Amino acid sequence: MYASKYNGCGNDFMIVDYKEDVNYSDLAIQLCHEAEQDTDGLIVVKNNPLEMLLFNKDGSQAPMCGNGIRCFTKYVRDEKLTHHTTIPVQTLAGEMTIDILSTDPFECKVNIGKADYRNDRFNAADHRSYINRTVEIDGKPVTFTSLFMGTVHTVVFVEDAKAMVKSDLGKKLCQHPLFKEQTNVNFVQVVNRKELIVRTFERGVGWTLACGTGCSASFVVARDSDLVDTRVHVHLEKGSLKIEGSDDIFMSGPAVFEKKIKLPIT
């Protein structure tokens, strides 16, 4: 059994073909924590129809990942599992449609779907609105908005998103009792109406270099707050993504193959 390592704007994954009788939660913990790999997650590829299963590095399963599905798409093209340029992919968040824009360098556009602010979509702990809601953490008020955008996301607007990586606020908000199954936390800095800077604390992972669904959620909340236009560039630590849309949300960005390794299982 082989695993391939890919990354999307630095958000990296081990990718394997699906096999019966493999505990993928355990495999994710094993693979993603090895010093040589140290990746954000494990992607399992099912074929006929194409389906993406995603496991975080702590072994938990996630519904979807924007950077992950771009890596998934490049993998299925590299392995010749499809020759199409428009590809439907099944995920736990529903079917996603990916359009391949370029093969060298590889870039694709993903229809992430529609944002959903309903509390029951992200297992909220109560029925109060999670839009512009304020909670006290360490004696200080934190205002946030939560929604479902491929998976659960929480958006916090800050003056300096890069500085938040040195803070433990991401972890504390991620694990706050308001979220029954934790939440991904995105710290968003509005540069202008066409640019955002985003840093994401990902549940089950920690600080990550990039989060495609997080960038999409950040764009939606900024757009709905009339802080940006309907198309933006989102700047990350190792690249940028294009996010756009007024109804369905579309994310465009790269994916890169790094290496293939043989696993000690058949």
Side-chain angles (χ1 to χ4, degrees):
M1 186 175 184
Y2 286 86
S4 299
K5 186 177 180 181
Y6 283 74
N7 87 75
C9 291
N11 193 196
D12 51 4
F13 304 89
M14 301 303 295
I15 303 181
V16 298
D17 290 325
Y18 177 79
K19 290 182 181 294
E20 295 283 353
D21 302 322
V22 175
N23 187 319
Y24 288 108
S25 291
D26 288 348
L27 184 61
I29 293 170
Q30 175 191 338
L31 280 182
C32 299
H33 284 85
E34 290 185 5
E36 189 177 344
Q37 274 81 251
D38 190 24
T39 51
D40 292 317
L42 172 68
I43 292 173
V44 182
V45 179
K46 282 188 169 184
N47 201 3
N48 296 319
L50 285 172
E51 181 178 355
M52 181 179 86
L53 303 178
L54 174 65
F55 296 85
N56 295 319
K57 68 190 302 177
D58 69 350
S60 61
Q61 191 168 6
M64 222 288 285
C65 172
N67 291 312
I69 204 167
R70 296 199 318 277
C71 292
F72 174 99
T73 303
K74 179 161 174 55
Y75 176 87
V76 300
R77 281 298 297 258
D78 289 348
E79 298 296 318
K80 297 180 172 54
L81 299 181
T82 182
H83 297 286
H84 298 292
T85 56
T86 298
I87 304 170
V89 177
Q90 306 300 319
T91 76
L92 290 181
E95 182 175 283
M96 303 287 167
T97 301
I98 300 94
D99 290 305
I100 297 174
L101 305 177
S102 169
T103 56
D104 189 16
F106 184 87
E107 183 179 8
C108 63
K109 182 185 229 180
V110 183
N111 184 340
I112 300 291
K114 296 175 174 61
D116 194 335
Y117 288 100
R118 291 178 297 172
N119 290 26
D120 60 349
R121 287 293 275 131
F122 52 86
N123 289 309
D126 63 38
H127 299 292
R128 288 179 52 198
S129 174
Y130 277 56
I131 299 174
N132 290 324
R133 184 162 177 172
T134 300
V135 65
E136 190 173 286
I137 297 180
D138 293 335
K140 297 180 180 179
V142 178
T143 300
F144 65 88
T145 294
S146 297
L147 67 163
F148 186 89
M149 187 80 255
T151 185
V152 56
H153 280 285
T154 294
V155 172
V156 181
F157 291 108
V158 295
E159 292 186 2
D160 187 348
K162 297 176 184 177
M164 298 309 299
V165 178
K166 299 177 182 178
S167 163
D168 60 359
L169 181 58
K171 181 177 182 179
K172 289 182 176 179
L173 193 49
C174 169
Q175 299 176 352
H176 197 279
L178 282 172
F179 304 96
K180 291 181 181 179
E181 297 181 358
Q182 301 190 357
T183 181
N184 300 293
V185 182
N186 306 278
F187 295 100
V188 182
Q189 177 182 342
V190 179
V191 180
N192 53 52
R193 293 194 66 86
K194 299 184 182 300
E195 295 178 278
L196 298 173
I197 297 173
V198 175
R199 295 294 182 267
T200 300
F201 187 93
E202 189 173 354
R203 65 174 177 174
V205 177
W207 289 108
T208 184
L209 292 173
C211 179
T213 54
C215 291
S216 301
S218 299
F219 159 72
V220 166
V221 178
R223 181 204 64 191
D224 291 351
S225 302
D226 195 27
L227 299 175
V228 297
D229 297 333
T230 56
R231 178 182 297 174
V232 300
H233 278 80
V234 180
H235 301 295
L236 306 162
E237 285 195 49
K238 293 190 175 182
S240 64
L241 297 174
K242 288 173 280 189
I243 313 291
E244 59 190 306
S246 54
D247 189 18
D248 280 13
I249 304 304
F250 296 88
M251 171 200 63
S252 302
V256 177
F257 167 75
E258 292 187 16
K259 63 181 179 180
K260 182 173 285 192
I261 63 170
K262 192 174 190 316
L263 301 180
I265 57 175
T266 58

